[in-house]
Amino acid sequence: MFYDTNVVVNLNQPSGFVAYIDESGDEGFVFNPDGSGSSRWFVLSAVVTRRVNDLQMVECLRDARDVLGKSPKTPLHFADLKHEQRVPYIRRVGNLDVRTINVAVYKPSIREVGKFKGERHLLYRYLTRFLVERLCLLVNRSRQARLGRNKSTEIIFSDRSNMSYEEVRSYLRRLIDITANNSDDVRVDGSVIDPTKVRSVQHSQLAGLQVADAVATGVHFALRLNRYGETEDAYFSHITKTLYRHNGKVLGYGMKFWPDNYDALKSKIPQIVDLEDFLH
């Protein structure tokens, strides 16, 4: 694994790909009329790279710190930066040779709210399913898979101290079993996703997780209304070329909306970012 500042390399790990996962927003359902309370949007993002290219994450962070005048050991939290600092950082992220997958839920549209309130972190796990289904599709259609090379993927979550990652691993095992029984609803490929290779690491420890944080927060800023009733799509515009495209399509793949599709959300939320401006 390539670590952030003091780089430690272990090329004996068997996985062919690495997926770094982070989120932006919260899982709460307290929506006050004045806009306070829980975030309306919750975004889960994955930054996917071939393991042999993993060092580019470290180089990206090193370059960004140099430009921002940060010391080599300073973790970058996208939300904590000023706008003029975020732009050069996210531009460098957008130039990485990676693919990004983003699942965005507009929580006020969720119909079975009681279900998600009643089981802790169920919403997070549910979005993880959408994320890994698209991850499996991406990896299975990669050149590496077509050449018969290693397509297994190590999944690294940004650690949330109050969440059990053994529950996440058990959830993925269940999804793999359902898929193996020829389910049409769940598609999580056990040759790509090995739950034993799922782990969580502190955000500050891995450059890839800091990149995933920048992607998730950049997407969130493009969707959420700030206190002045505005959205900020400047960051999203820099990462659009990293979005995973399946047969040329981004919606439903590199950008997955739930529970409503993008067109339905546009009718509910006129201020939502106009993806047509970015995806062609």
Side-chain angles (χ1 to χ4, degrees):
M1 191 60 240
F2 294 98
Y3 284 83
D4 185 12
T5 51
N6 299 313
V7 181
V8 179
V9 181
N10 180 359
L11 295 179
N12 295 319
Q13 294 212 29
S15 61
F17 294 83
V18 187
Y20 297 97
I21 298 177
D22 203 354
E23 81 281 350
S24 184
D26 61 64
E27 296 174 77
F29 289 91
V30 179
F31 308 124
N32 298 323
D34 64 358
S36 64
S38 306
S39 66
R40 273 57 175 174
W41 288 94
F42 185 67
V43 177
L44 192 65
S45 298
V47 175
V48 187
T49 181
R50 289 180 61 203
R51 181 171 291 281
V52 295
N53 294 331
D54 199 19
L55 185 58
Q56 66 177 319
M57 306 288 192
V58 177
E59 294 169 345
C60 174
L61 266 291
R62 185 177 294 140
D63 186 28
R65 288 195 194 95
D66 286 345
V67 169
L68 301 181
K70 303 287 186 181
S71 67
K73 294 185 178 181
T74 303
L76 295 184
H77 291 265
F78 197 75
D80 294 339
L81 298 174
K82 297 177 181 178
H83 173 73
E84 59 266 28
Q85 295 173 314
R86 292 171 186 159
V87 172
Y89 178 22
I90 200 72
R91 182 183 294 115
R92 283 161 174 77
V93 169
N95 287 329
L96 289 169
D97 182 17
V98 298
R99 290 293 174 266
T100 59
I101 303 169
N102 305 276
V103 181
V105 54
Y106 184 61
K107 292 183 292 176
S109 288
I110 295 177
R111 297 162 187 83
E112 297 177 296
V113 173
K115 171 181 172 182
F116 292 100
K117 283 183 175 180
E119 186 173 343
R120 198 177 188 195
H121 303 309
L122 177 60
L123 181 61
Y124 189 97
R125 293 195 299 274
Y126 202 73
L127 299 191
T128 297
R129 169 198 157 183
F130 290 138
L131 204 68
V132 298
E133 285 179 327
R134 284 148 184 82
L135 172 61
C136 290
L137 191 59
L138 186 164
V139 170
N140 275 320
R141 291 177 64 90
S142 68
R143 183 172 181 272
Q144 185 153 328
R146 292 196 301 270
L147 293 174
R149 296 173 182 166
N150 187 356
K151 62 180 183 177
S152 65
T153 304
E154 181 181 14
I155 296 178
I156 305 176
F157 288 93
S158 183
D159 186 70
R160 308 171 91 203
S161 59
N162 62 351
M163 196 166 90
S164 166
Y165 289 92
E166 183 51 44
E167 288 183 1
V168 174
R169 286 186 281 270
S170 296
Y171 180 64
L172 291 174
R173 290 186 191 100
R174 188 160 70 250
L175 295 177
I176 290 168
D177 288 343
I178 293 171
T179 303
N181 289 323
N182 299 314
S183 168
D184 291 330
D185 296 326
V186 179
R187 297 179 181 179
V188 179
D189 186 347
S191 69
V192 174
I193 306 299
D194 180 352
T196 66
K197 294 177 185 172
V198 173
R199 61 192 179 104
S200 63
V201 178
Q202 290 291 325
H203 166 276
S204 61
Q205 296 301 306
L206 292 178
L209 289 177
Q210 293 172 62
V211 169
D213 161 71
V215 171
T217 309
V219 172
H220 195 194
F221 280 152
L223 298 172
R224 72 177 180 99
L225 289 178
N226 63 25
R227 71 176 96 176
Y228 307 110
E230 303 285 343
T231 58
E232 178 55 81
D233 58 25
Y235 315 126
F236 183 75
S237 67
H238 287 295
I239 61 170
T240 52
K241 68 180 180 181
T242 71
L243 296 173
Y244 170 47
R245 287 165 167 79
H246 178 69
N247 294 331
K249 297 179 181 178
V250 171
L251 285 175
Y253 299 98
M255 277 299 308
K256 162 69 176 175
F257 289 95
W258 185 81
D260 299 310
N261 62 32
Y262 176 66
D263 289 335
L265 283 168
K266 279 201 299 184
S267 66
K268 290 182 179 180
I269 317 167
Q271 303 92 337
I272 193 171
V273 61
D274 189 351
L275 293 181
E276 300 300 322
D277 290 343
F278 299 108
L279 303 185
H280 298 290

